[in-house]
Amino acid sequence: MNFLFYVLFDLLFGWLWWLIPDEVDKRRDLKLFDEGEVRCSIRARDGRVLNIPTEWSAGVARFGHGTLHFTPVIGIVGDRAIPVRSIRPGPTPNALADDVRGMNFTIETTGGDLFVRLPTVVAEKVAAVLAGEAPGAEEPPA
């Protein structure tokens, strides 16, 4: 009976241990969205675009209609103000990459194209604000 108790406890604890971090990330992403920010990763498609290389950089960005102000945590050094001309769904490198942790988009800027990866729970909302299709964090709704 002890063995059965330990197995059930391990299964329950293991399941919660797997589920809780994802739920915490979702709640944090929703809270950041309400504050006009989003966790994201960004890189240039080819060469350097707005002094952003082709290697991924991760950080937090403030967003509004047609603008993304990226503050890196890993990768490039220094904040970047990115003018967004358009945003569209981006390529998925492989089947495993498009999971619950993020969606890929391609941002057309004045200097070229950038790839950006946004958390799935807020990705479409952020894309709508960047495209000017939804009220932005910097502008009150009409």
Side-chain angles (χ1 to χ4, degrees):
M1 190 66 174
N2 251 354
F3 175 73
L4 183 59
F5 175 73
Y6 285 123
V7 169
L8 289 174
F9 179 78
D10 284 346
L11 286 175
L12 179 62
F13 184 72
W15 179 74
L16 287 174
W17 192 258
W18 171 75
L19 182 65
I20 289 172
D22 287 339
E23 190 62 31
V24 169
D25 285 345
K26 285 179 188 177
R27 289 174 189 256
R28 181 177 57 198
D29 291 333
L30 288 170
K31 183 179 177 187
L32 280 174
F33 177 79
D34 289 341
E35 296 170 357
E37 296 183 342
V38 64
R39 289 183 308 127
C40 63
S41 298
I42 196 166
R43 76 175 186 90
R45 188 179 84 184
D46 297 313
R48 291 183 81 81
V49 175
L50 304 174
N51 207 18
I52 299 171
T54 56
E55 294 83 23
W56 285 101
S57 296
V60 176
R62 290 203 58 75
F63 60 91
H65 292 294
T67 60
L68 190 70
H69 297 278
F70 181 71
T71 303
V73 175
I74 298 172
I76 59 177
V77 177
D79 296 356
R80 302 291 195 278
I82 301 167
V84 178
R85 286 187 173 173
S86 70
I87 184 168
R88 62 187 182 278
T92 301
N94 60 47
L96 296 176
D98 197 22
D99 63 357
V100 296
R101 288 176 178 38
M103 292 176 64
N104 297 319
F105 290 90
T106 301
I107 293 178
E108 181 185 332
T109 71
T110 54
D113 289 348
L114 296 171
F115 292 139
V116 65
R117 186 168 178 87
L118 303 169
T120 303
V121 70
V122 295
E124 292 177 353
K125 295 176 187 177
V126 172
V129 171
L130 289 173
E133 299 169 359
E138 298 168 358
E139 300 177 11

